[in-house]
Amino acid sequence: MDSAVVERHRSRARVMKAMAHPTRLFIVEELSQRERCVHELTEMVGVDMSTVSKHLALLKSVGIVTDERRGNEVYYSLRMRCVLKFFECIEDVLAFGCSACERKS
Amino acid sequence: MDSAVVERHRSRARVMKAMAHPTRLFIVEELSQRERCVHELTEMVGVDMSTVSKHLALLKSVGIVTDERRGNEVYYSLRMRCVLKFFECIEDVLAFGCSACERKS
DNA sequence: AGAGTGTTTGGTAAAATTGCCAAATAGCAT
DNA sequence: ATGCTATTTGGCAATTTTACCAAACACTCT
């Protein structure tokens, strides 16, 4: 395959992959309601703050969220709201995907 | 976090993750045009057929594609066309995501 | 300056993903 | 049955991802 084409798909996959994690999906969903600081998100998710911080850094690195420091806290907000469109489709896949019914796990 | 909520996000992430790979994104894009057998996709992608087969199995396991054997060949087709809506948003993220511009890699 | 709070970064071990090869399976045609 | 083609499966090494801890960093307040 053409290397330009490969690179294009790599970029796209990077964006998809940024969302492809339970915690990060939760964060995106949460930020769609309102901005949150790392401390708040950490409480909600229930893992180490450094872990949450790294998830946020990843989401930021592809441009899905932005951050803004206000005093001690860093507030994150959803920058690309279009990603919310994914959720509806994903629910459809989960509902319709009958291979999901056949699946063992 | 509530374990039911965790499980819900895990399921969603499984669907996202199924698409979050350059080769699988390519396959989905390709299948949106027309159905293809493994042999054809393997030629296009340029990796081992067993690898392509595993990518397809993963996409199938979450319900994004279906397969149908016709003689020797197994034809795959896109089952959840809604996933195509992702692409436009991803392009936006790549275009708008200025952290993409600041990014090193 | 110091202490206290909130966040990020570096390091590391465990887990998951990826891709190749070889072997197994499925179907068609002798 | 044997051979041939198409696909899947199992196994394994290399790579990537994840999550913790500890240390560094940023900022506020005294």
Side-chain angles (χ1 to χ4, degrees):
Chain A
M1 211 171 9
D2 185 356
S3 82
V5 176
V6 170
E7 196 42 54
R8 195 156 50 85
H9 283 94
R10 245 200 278 272
S11 306
R12 291 177 179 183
R14 207 180 301 134
V15 176
M16 288 293 290
K17 212 184 295 197
M19 310 240 324
H21 187 281
T23 299
R24 294 195 294 268
L25 277 176
F26 172 84
I27 289 174
V28 168
E29 227 173 0
E30 195 54 40
L31 294 184
S32 74
Q33 310 286 340
R34 65 183 73 78
E35 63 172 16
R36 293 288 196 183
C37 67
V38 184
H39 178 246
E40 289 174 314
L41 291 169
T42 299
E43 265 190 351
M44 293 188 241
V45 174
V47 299
D48 198 86
M49 179 181 272
S50 68
T51 302
V52 173
S53 178
K54 277 172 183 172
H55 282 311
L56 288 165
L58 182 53
L59 286 169
K60 184 185 162 192
S61 80
V62 298
I64 292 177
V65 304
T66 356
D67 61 337
E68 182 192 334
R69 178 176 279 270
R70 287 208 281 283
N72 258 338
E73 286 106 13
V74 177
Y75 283 88
Y76 281 84
S77 51
L78 185 58
R79 181 147 160 274
M80 300 304 291
R81 299 196 64 87
C82 60
V83 300
L84 294 174
K85 289 186 200 157
F86 294 9
F87 293 139
E88 202 181 327
C89 172
I90 288 179
E91 288 306 313
D92 287 350
V93 174
L94 285 173
F96 259 128
C98 287
S99 28
C101 315
E102 301 151 18
R103 200 171 48 223
K104 47 249 121 196
S105 71
Chain B
M1 212 171 11
D2 185 357
S3 82
V5 177
V6 170
E7 195 43 54
R8 195 156 51 84
H9 283 94
R10 246 200 277 272
S11 305
R12 292 177 178 183
R14 208 180 299 133
V15 176
M16 287 294 288
K17 213 184 293 196
M19 309 240 324
H21 187 280
T23 299
R24 294 196 294 270
L25 277 176
F26 173 84
I27 288 174
V28 168
E29 227 173 0
E30 195 55 39
L31 294 182
S32 74
Q33 309 286 340
R34 65 183 73 79
E35 64 172 15
R36 294 287 196 184
C37 67
V38 185
H39 178 247
E40 289 174 313
L41 291 170
T42 300
E43 266 190 350
M44 292 188 242
V45 174
V47 299
D48 198 86
M49 180 181 272
S50 68
T51 301
V52 173
S53 178
K54 277 172 183 171
H55 282 310
L56 287 165
L58 183 53
L59 286 169
K60 184 185 162 193
S61 80
V62 298
I64 293 177
V65 304
T66 356
D67 61 338
E68 184 191 335
R69 179 175 279 271
R70 287 208 281 284
N72 259 337
E73 286 106 13
V74 177
Y75 283 86
Y76 282 84
S77 51
L78 186 57
R79 180 146 159 277
M80 300 303 293
R81 299 197 63 87
C82 60
V83 298
L84 295 174
K85 289 186 200 157
F86 294 9
F87 293 140
E88 201 182 328
C89 172
I90 289 180
E91 289 305 315
D92 286 351
V93 175
L94 286 173
F96 260 127
C98 287
S99 28
C101 315
E102 300 152 18
R103 201 171 48 226
K104 48 250 122 193
S105 72

